[in-house]
Amino acid sequence: MDLKSNSPILTDPIPISKPRLDFHDSLLPYSSSEVFSQGPFLTIPWKKPGLLDDVLSTSWLDAMKSSSPRNIMKYNGNEFSPNDADVAYLNWMLKYPSALTSIEQIVNNAKGKRIALFLDYDGTLSPIVDNPDHAFMSNAMRAAVRNVAKCFPTAIISGRSREKVRKFVGLKELYYAGSHGMDIMCPVQSPADHTTEVNEGNLYQPASEFLPMINEVFMSLVETTKNIEGAKVENNKFCVSVHYRNVDEKSWKAVAEYVQDTLKRYPRLRLTHGRMVLEIRPVLKWDKGKAVEFLLESLGLSSCDDVLPIYVGDDRTDEDAFKFLREGNRGYGILVTPAPKESSAYYSLRDPSEVMEFINLLVIHKKLVP
């Protein structure tokens, strides 16, 4: 990829003669009745067991604070007051241009290629809200996602449970990956078009053996945090999310200590954090980047040099997908953020409203240039 002058120009990737994942041809398409908990599809290396991943034991409280809204914004070691925020953001956009103003460049680079679209949910298709159970997407956003799915294979990859995010989105013609990609609904075969419903029951669940452990942790944390006002523990099937957005900052230390004490009993689980949430996940090298790779493979698109994957997300967990696309010169990551932050993405959008505008533009260009 040519990155001269920080210009995110995607050159033609080197043709790939071998699938990126170690699949055997006879295993595709998938059986509609099987749930894959392990086996011949791909080898999943284990991470070294430990209590914490990106939340270090000596700085977990700082990590929690870093994901909260602040009156002072910091980027590249420089602090900005709210009055300077717009200037800082504009300077930051020199490195991460708006996907809206760069739409012509994106679609030009997509000429002769098939776009595959991957979308996060919270903070990308829906606004971040105080109550995670009320993170509803608008009807206009739903219509936009439905329209883009008619043009390109479209998948939702979320930290939520797959069933929950599917209920939020309410569209049957999409592919869904929940629990940060550890619960994937795959197509039976690559569809001839993108207007048909995706057959339910085609699952890939690389962390299925962790289900009893995750359920134990969920019940334990519900009990231990019940007296902390505002704390909410969410069971996302293959991960447990502890939301502290509505917790008084004076109680954040207690929340983190309860989580850390619980994890001491489960060395095969690890702790990560997102936007005002602590997440307990299996010690498994599987993330949203692996989910994108898997979905491209299952769609028959991973070994093609005429495919342009685009991933849109707002959270630190989306960085794994951005890195996957960048490292292999495979496609574009688009970071959704109202404030400057370092990222492996190529482009940026400010908020879900800009995400909706972007996917509407993709549809318009697709209709202009079939």
PDB file of all heavy atoms in Angstrom, residues 5-19:
ATOM      1  N   SER A   5       3.197  10.577   1.747  1.00  0.00           N
ATOM      2  CA  SER A   5       2.472  11.796   2.175  1.00  0.00           C
ATOM      3  C   SER A   5       1.243  11.449   2.995  1.00  0.00           C
ATOM      4  O   SER A   5       0.255  12.143   2.978  1.00  0.00           O
ATOM      5  CB  SER A   5       2.055  12.620   0.947  1.00  0.00           C
ATOM      6  OG  SER A   5       3.194  12.982   0.189  1.00  0.00           O
ATOM      7  N   ASN A   6       1.328  10.286   3.698  1.00  0.00           N
ATOM      8  CA  ASN A   6       0.215   9.856   4.549  1.00  0.00           C
ATOM      9  C   ASN A   6      -1.069   9.635   3.761  1.00  0.00           C
ATOM     10  O   ASN A   6      -2.160   9.697   4.292  1.00  0.00           O
ATOM     11  CB  ASN A   6      -0.055  10.864   5.673  1.00  0.00           C
ATOM     12  CG  ASN A   6       1.059  10.879   6.685  1.00  0.00           C
ATOM     13  OD1 ASN A   6       1.668   9.838   6.960  1.00  0.00           O
ATOM     14  ND2 ASN A   6       1.347  12.044   7.236  1.00  0.00           N
ATOM     15  N   SER A   7      -0.958   9.414   2.489  1.00  0.00           N
ATOM     16  CA  SER A   7      -2.148   9.230   1.660  1.00  0.00           C
ATOM     17  C   SER A   7      -2.561   7.775   1.655  1.00  0.00           C
ATOM     18  O   SER A   7      -1.792   6.908   1.265  1.00  0.00           O
ATOM     19  CB  SER A   7      -1.856   9.673   0.225  1.00  0.00           C
ATOM     20  OG  SER A   7      -2.974   9.445  -0.594  1.00  0.00           O
ATOM     21  N   PRO A   8      -3.764   7.478   2.143  1.00  0.00           N
ATOM     22  CA  PRO A   8      -4.194   6.086   2.247  1.00  0.00           C
ATOM     23  C   PRO A   8      -4.653   5.523   0.915  1.00  0.00           C
ATOM     24  O   PRO A   8      -5.824   5.245   0.703  1.00  0.00           O
ATOM     25  CB  PRO A   8      -5.339   6.164   3.263  1.00  0.00           C
ATOM     26  CG  PRO A   8      -5.908   7.515   3.052  1.00  0.00           C
ATOM     27  CD  PRO A   8      -4.765   8.398   2.663  1.00  0.00           C
ATOM     28  N   ILE A   9      -3.720   5.381  -0.043  1.00  0.00           N
ATOM     29  CA  ILE A   9      -4.058   4.836  -1.349  1.00  0.00           C
ATOM     30  C   ILE A   9      -3.858   3.335  -1.311  1.00  0.00           C
ATOM     31  O   ILE A   9      -2.790   2.846  -0.951  1.00  0.00           O
ATOM     32  CB  ILE A   9      -3.168   5.443  -2.452  1.00  0.00           C
ATOM     33  CG1 ILE A   9      -3.247   6.966  -2.402  1.00  0.00           C
ATOM     34  CG2 ILE A   9      -3.566   4.912  -3.813  1.00  0.00           C
ATOM     35  CD1 ILE A   9      -4.623   7.506  -2.654  1.00  0.00           C
ATOM     36  N   LEU A  10      -4.868   2.589  -1.681  1.00  0.00           N
ATOM     37  CA  LEU A  10      -4.781   1.140  -1.691  1.00  0.00           C
ATOM     38  C   LEU A  10      -4.396   0.682  -3.082  1.00  0.00           C
ATOM     39  O   LEU A  10      -5.147   0.824  -4.027  1.00  0.00           O
ATOM     40  CB  LEU A  10      -6.120   0.520  -1.289  1.00  0.00           C
ATOM     41  CG  LEU A  10      -6.123  -1.006  -1.162  1.00  0.00           C
ATOM     42  CD1 LEU A  10      -5.255  -1.411   0.022  1.00  0.00           C
ATOM     43  CD2 LEU A  10      -7.541  -1.502  -0.974  1.00  0.00           C
ATOM     44  N   THR A  11      -3.174   0.140  -3.226  1.00  0.00           N
ATOM     45  CA  THR A  11      -2.764  -0.398  -4.508  1.00  0.00           C
ATOM     46  C   THR A  11      -3.263  -1.817  -4.648  1.00  0.00           C
ATOM     47  O   THR A  11      -3.707  -2.430  -3.684  1.00  0.00           O
ATOM     48  CB  THR A  11      -1.228  -0.388  -4.620  1.00  0.00           C
ATOM     49  OG1 THR A  11      -0.686  -1.164  -3.537  1.00  0.00           O
ATOM     50  CG2 THR A  11      -0.688   1.027  -4.543  1.00  0.00           C
ATOM     51  N   ASP A  12      -3.195  -2.360  -5.841  1.00  0.00           N
ATOM     52  CA  ASP A  12      -3.648  -3.729  -6.048  1.00  0.00           C
ATOM     53  C   ASP A  12      -2.822  -4.669  -5.195  1.00  0.00           C
ATOM     54  O   ASP A  12      -1.594  -4.667  -5.246  1.00  0.00           O
ATOM     55  CB  ASP A  12      -3.507  -4.123  -7.523  1.00  0.00           C
ATOM     56  CG  ASP A  12      -4.524  -3.402  -8.370  1.00  0.00           C
ATOM     57  OD1 ASP A  12      -5.571  -3.018  -7.834  1.00  0.00           O
ATOM     58  OD2 ASP A  12      -4.260  -3.240  -9.564  1.00  0.00           O
ATOM     59  N   PRO A  13      -3.459  -5.510  -4.389  1.00  0.00           N
ATOM     60  CA  PRO A  13      -2.702  -6.426  -3.542  1.00  0.00           C
ATOM     61  C   PRO A  13      -2.048  -7.521  -4.376  1.00  0.00           C
ATOM     62  O   PRO A  13      -2.463  -7.815  -5.491  1.00  0.00           O
ATOM     63  CB  PRO A  13      -3.783  -7.017  -2.613  1.00  0.00           C
ATOM     64  CG  PRO A  13      -5.045  -6.899  -3.383  1.00  0.00           C
ATOM     65  CD  PRO A  13      -4.903  -5.647  -4.216  1.00  0.00           C
ATOM     66  N   ILE A  14      -1.032  -8.116  -3.795  1.00  0.00           N
ATOM     67  CA  ILE A  14      -0.382  -9.234  -4.458  1.00  0.00           C
ATOM     68  C   ILE A  14      -1.359 -10.399  -4.525  1.00  0.00           C
ATOM     69  O   ILE A  14      -1.985 -10.760  -3.531  1.00  0.00           O
ATOM     70  CB  ILE A  14       0.876  -9.654  -3.673  1.00  0.00           C
ATOM     71  CG1 ILE A  14       1.862  -8.491  -3.626  1.00  0.00           C
ATOM     72  CG2 ILE A  14       1.517 -10.886  -4.279  1.00  0.00           C
ATOM     73  CD1 ILE A  14       3.052  -8.739  -2.746  1.00  0.00           C
ATOM     74  N   PRO A  15      -1.535 -11.014  -5.700  1.00  0.00           N
ATOM     75  CA  PRO A  15      -2.473 -12.135  -5.816  1.00  0.00           C
ATOM     76  C   PRO A  15      -2.138 -13.217  -4.818  1.00  0.00           C
ATOM     77  O   PRO A  15      -0.973 -13.548  -4.598  1.00  0.00           O
ATOM     78  CB  PRO A  15      -2.266 -12.606  -7.266  1.00  0.00           C
ATOM     79  CG  PRO A  15      -1.730 -11.413  -7.978  1.00  0.00           C
ATOM     80  CD  PRO A  15      -0.890 -10.679  -6.975  1.00  0.00           C
ATOM     81  N   ILE A  16      -3.163 -13.756  -4.214  1.00  0.00           N
ATOM     82  CA  ILE A  16      -2.991 -14.796  -3.208  1.00  0.00           C
ATOM     83  C   ILE A  16      -3.460 -16.111  -3.798  1.00  0.00           C
ATOM     84  O   ILE A  16      -4.606 -16.254  -4.217  1.00  0.00           O
ATOM     85  CB  ILE A  16      -3.800 -14.465  -1.945  1.00  0.00           C
ATOM     86  CG1 ILE A  16      -3.297 -13.150  -1.369  1.00  0.00           C
ATOM     87  CG2 ILE A  16      -3.685 -15.569  -0.915  1.00  0.00           C
ATOM     88  CD1 ILE A  16      -4.170 -12.611  -0.253  1.00  0.00           C
ATOM     89  N   SER A  17      -2.573 -17.076  -3.835  1.00  0.00           N
ATOM     90  CA  SER A  17      -2.914 -18.364  -4.427  1.00  0.00           C
ATOM     91  C   SER A  17      -3.381 -19.365  -3.404  1.00  0.00           C
ATOM     92  O   SER A  17      -3.881 -20.417  -3.730  1.00  0.00           O
ATOM     93  CB  SER A  17      -1.693 -18.939  -5.163  1.00  0.00           C
ATOM     94  OG  SER A  17      -0.601 -19.081  -4.257  1.00  0.00           O
ATOM     95  N   LYS A  18      -3.226 -19.035  -2.131  1.00  0.00           N
ATOM     96  CA  LYS A  18      -3.591 -19.958  -1.065  1.00  0.00           C
ATOM     97  C   LYS A  18      -4.480 -19.241  -0.072  1.00  0.00           C
ATOM     98  O   LYS A  18      -4.214 -18.108   0.297  1.00  0.00           O
ATOM     99  CB  LYS A  18      -2.327 -20.459  -0.352  1.00  0.00           C
ATOM    100  CG  LYS A  18      -2.611 -21.472   0.748  1.00  0.00           C
ATOM    101  CD  LYS A  18      -1.310 -21.913   1.399  1.00  0.00           C
ATOM    102  CE  LYS A  18      -1.556 -22.920   2.523  1.00  0.00           C
ATOM    103  NZ  LYS A  18      -0.306 -23.330   3.178  1.00  0.00           N
ATOM    104  N   PRO A  19      -5.576 -19.864   0.395  1.00  0.00           N
ATOM    105  CA  PRO A  19      -6.436 -19.222   1.389  1.00  0.00           C
ATOM    106  C   PRO A  19      -5.643 -18.854   2.630  1.00  0.00           C
ATOM    107  O   PRO A  19      -4.700 -19.548   3.012  1.00  0.00           O
ATOM    108  CB  PRO A  19      -7.493 -20.305   1.687  1.00  0.00           C
ATOM    109  CG  PRO A  19      -7.511 -21.166   0.478  1.00  0.00           C
ATOM    110  CD  PRO A  19      -6.091 -21.167  -0.031  1.00  0.00           C
TER     111      PRO A  19
END
